[in-house]
Amino acid sequence: MSPPVTRFAPSPTGFLHLGHAHAALFAARAAGAGRFLLRMEDIDRGRCRAEFDAAILEDLAWLGLDWDGPVLRQSTRAVAYRAALDRLDALGVLYPCFCTRKEIAAEINRAGSAPHGVIAPDPGRHGAPGPVSMDGPLYPGTCRGLAAAEREAAMARAAGFALRLDAAKAAGLVGELEFSDHRLGLTAVDPLLLGDAVLGRKDIGTSYHLSVVVDDAAQGISLVTRGADLFPSTHLHAVLQALLGLPAPEYHHHPLIEDGAGARLAKRSDSRAIRAFREEGLSPREVRALAGFPDGPSGQPC
Ligand code: GLU
């Protein structure tokens, strides 16, 4: 087996924190004799800032991290995301959604108070009281059933719209899938877990889920390491990989680190930021220790 290609993929919406440092060191260590790549997930133009991008690179270097090749910035990848959406559209698994957040919330409330709720089955799957995903409550499917004429008219009228995955249709196309996690073993994919997720946001034309899948394949990532909070997303990512004919990487979802020590050590409001530790005079080794890797990517985690 060839040595793994891993990546660290921060979003430059703020300064690098201890949790990010843990994720970055984890990915660099997992690469071993392979390659460790860096990707800036900067699709969200409203929230990402060049100064955070620069600060993240600087903090990573200060921590002693070195990555292979140039940094891939998702803001340069719109054409690839569009091509992926076109491919999904050709498979008939996308539909335009005109709902606002408010309308979705109202629809969920309405359905929830109806004698026979119509929202997705299996409430509590994420340990929460209702069907939710990391993106919020599962979409109740309002725009999925629009008749062709209604859809055309709405598209002509709307200033913009989102593109959602028809998860049930996608499930029918991909059949049974599983993904492999180095810590948790093989998991059977539940294509309905995140519901009809948005793949093309109205404002930016793509989404975290679509971009991450397209770019992991484009960068040849063979081992995706990331926090366990993203485990549910991997179900959707496996479906997208199958639909788009992309290779399925291996995964290692690691537990998120405790930040109690950081909060005690740094007194600023941004208490877990690597900057704060730097300003308080901690050494890279001390900060790496807080992030669980005192000896850097080649050492053992503590
Ligand atoms: N950009 C995501 C984050 O900062 C990480 C995505 C991933 O590792 O798949 O949380």
Side-chain angles (χ1 to χ4, degrees):
M1 235 178 70
S2 36
V5 182
T6 69
R7 47 57 163 194
F8 174 54
S11 300
T13 54
F15 292 117
L16 203 71
H17 279 209
L18 272 188
H20 298 119
H22 179 73
L25 287 155
F26 193 100
R29 188 176 68 101
R35 303 179 74 224
F36 167 58
L37 308 184
L38 186 59
R39 179 168 78 228
M40 283 291 172
E41 302 215 318
D42 58 352
I43 49 173
D44 197 333
R45 290 184 294 267
R47 296 178 59 228
C48 294
R49 301 231 298 268
E51 73 195 72
F52 292 134
D53 183 311
I56 287 172
L57 298 184
E58 211 214 340
D59 284 344
L60 288 173
W62 182 82
L63 282 168
L65 279 161
D66 198 8
W67 50 92
D68 294 297
V71 179
L72 183 72
R73 290 196 168 71
Q74 291 192 322
S75 52
T76 65
R77 303 268 302 145
V79 173
Y81 306 145
R82 185 67 251 170
L85 285 174
D86 287 347
R87 187 152 179 189
L88 295 173
D89 194 33
L91 293 172
V93 294
L94 292 185
Y95 65 88
C97 173
F98 309 94
C99 297
T100 61
R101 275 172 203 271
K102 223 169 150 182
E103 285 162 351
I104 294 172
E107 176 62 19
I108 287 169
N109 275 338
R110 202 190 56 75
S113 59
H116 303 289
V118 295
I119 7 184
D122 200 8
R125 203 174 228 146
H126 306 280
V132 292
S133 75
M134 70 178 254
D135 305 323
L138 290 193
Y139 180 63
T142 322
C143 289
R144 186 176 48 229
L146 288 183
E150 258 178 298
R151 189 169 278 174
E152 298 286 309
M155 283 167 85
R157 231 179 13 243
F161 48 84
L163 289 172
R164 287 187 182 272
L165 179 72
D166 185 328
K169 241 189 203 174
L173 286 184
V174 299
E176 284 185 15
L177 292 174
E178 50 191 24
F179 61 87
S180 161
D181 182 285
H182 287 193
R183 189 168 64 97
L184 303 163
L186 276 184
T187 297
V189 170
D190 176 356
L192 306 183
L193 188 63
L194 299 194
D196 286 0
V198 169
L199 299 185
R201 274 168 46 176
K202 176 178 161 182
D203 54 346
I204 56 173
T206 184
S207 63
Y208 159 67
H209 299 299
L210 184 82
S211 304
V212 89
V213 163
V214 168
D215 288 342
D216 280 338
Q219 291 188 286
I221 305 299
S222 62
L223 173 60
V224 171
T225 67
R226 59 186 177 198
D229 55 330
L230 286 169
F231 190 81
S233 298
T234 303
H235 288 260
L236 171 58
H237 298 180
V239 170
L240 294 177
Q241 284 149 7
L243 290 170
L244 292 167
L246 301 174
E250 304 256 297
Y251 289 87
H252 190 142
H253 295 89
H254 53 76
L256 302 177
I257 60 159
E258 296 281 328
D259 61 359
R264 274 201 311 277
L265 275 160
K267 293 163 201 78
R268 288 172 19 151
S269 58
D270 202 3
S271 63
R272 290 167 56 228
I274 304 306
R275 303 247 125 180
F277 299 121
R278 288 176 66 175
E279 280 162 22
E280 296 191 12
L282 270 73
S283 69
R285 186 186 159 81
E286 285 169 316
V287 176
R288 284 197 305 262
L290 289 174
F293 292 87
D295 298 320
S298 50
Q300 287 305 308
C302 61

